């Protein structure tokens, strides 16, 4: 579930002058593929141990449960609600496409359904808004957020989980 540059991007924040042609996209690996498949359906799911004696949630996805060692897993539906656990506003952004969208945020969201699970992303004004669509001054640790889904990449083949501030 790492990120890698993958050439032109017509996904989130794309359009004239948005500078999104070099935004990083997730690299979909075997363990994380179901996460991205569910995201494409508009579902936020987290991998869990399917052992009846364990059942612990885990993220990032991996083949073996770090709690009990079982290789049995399932994907549990989450509500998509959470709270800002941490955030940064990169100064200066290192990649040109991100510099063109500064100031923007990078956040960690603690899931309401699973407080030990934290997902990285961006808080945006709408699912397909540019990264700089929310003034960083509006962000507060503990602020409630909800998941939003946005197709990304040159062919929309990956759906990103982004975050919207709850009112």
């Amino acid at each position: 579930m790492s990120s890698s540059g993958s050439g032109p991007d017509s996904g989130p924040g794309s359009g004239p002058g948005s500078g999104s042609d070099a935004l990083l996209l997730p690299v979909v690996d075997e363990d994380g593929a179901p996460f991205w498949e569910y995201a494409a359906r508009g579902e936020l799911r987290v991998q869990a141990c399917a052992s009846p004696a364990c059942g612990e949630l885990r993220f990032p996805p991996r083949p073996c449960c770090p709690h009990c060692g079982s290789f049995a897993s399932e994907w549990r539906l989450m509500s998509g609600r959470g709270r800002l656990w941490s955030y940064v506003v990169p100064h200066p952004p290192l990649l040109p496409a991100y510099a063109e969208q500064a100031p923007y945020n990078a956040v960690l969201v603690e899931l309401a359904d699973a407080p030990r699970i934290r997902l990285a992303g961006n808080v945006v004004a709408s699912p397909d808004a540019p990264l700089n669509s929310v003034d960083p001054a509006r962000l507060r640790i503990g602020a409630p957020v909800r998941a939003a889904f946005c197709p990304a990449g040159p062919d929309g083949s990956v759906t990103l989980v982004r975050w919207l501030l709850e009112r």
Side-chain angles (χ1 to χ4, degrees):
M1 310 242 340
S2 61
S3 295
S4 170
S6 61
D9 172 22
S10 61
S14 64
S18 70
S20 66
D21 54 356
L23 294 181
L24 300 176
L25 293 174
V27 173
V28 179
D29 62 13
E30 183 178 342
D31 296 324
F35 177 86
W36 302 109
E37 291 164 11
Y38 288 119
R41 295 186 218 164
E43 297 178 8
L44 183 62
R45 289 187 181 251
V46 172
Q47 190 183 45
C49 180
S51 169
C54 182
E56 290 286 332
L57 294 168
R58 61 184 185 249
F59 197 88
R62 57 200 127 194
C64 179
C65 177
H67 306 283
C68 74
S70 172
F71 284 90
S73 67
E74 62 189 9
W75 288 84
R76 292 201 192 137
L77 182 63
M78 301 287 112
S79 68
R81 301 218 182 284
R83 69 178 191 91
L84 282 186
W85 189 79
S86 183
Y87 71 93
V88 297
V89 178
H91 295 286
L94 297 177
L95 300 173
Y98 288 89
E100 292 172 15
Q101 293 198 44
Y104 65 90
N105 62 75
V107 302
L108 284 179
V109 171
E110 177 182 75
L111 297 182
D113 309 285
R116 292 186 314 177
I117 304 292
R118 296 180 188 111
L119 302 180
N122 306 97
V123 173
V124 291
S126 66
D128 61 349
L131 295 181
N132 62 0
S133 62
V134 171
D135 182 346
R138 292 185 55 207
L139 302 179
R140 298 286 181 263
I141 300 299
V145 293
R146 66 181 164 85
F149 303 91
C150 181
D155 56 2
S157 61
V158 176
T159 299
L160 300 178
V161 179
R162 304 173 104 202
W163 302 95
L164 306 175
L165 288 171
E166 294 269 56
R167 301 205 187 264

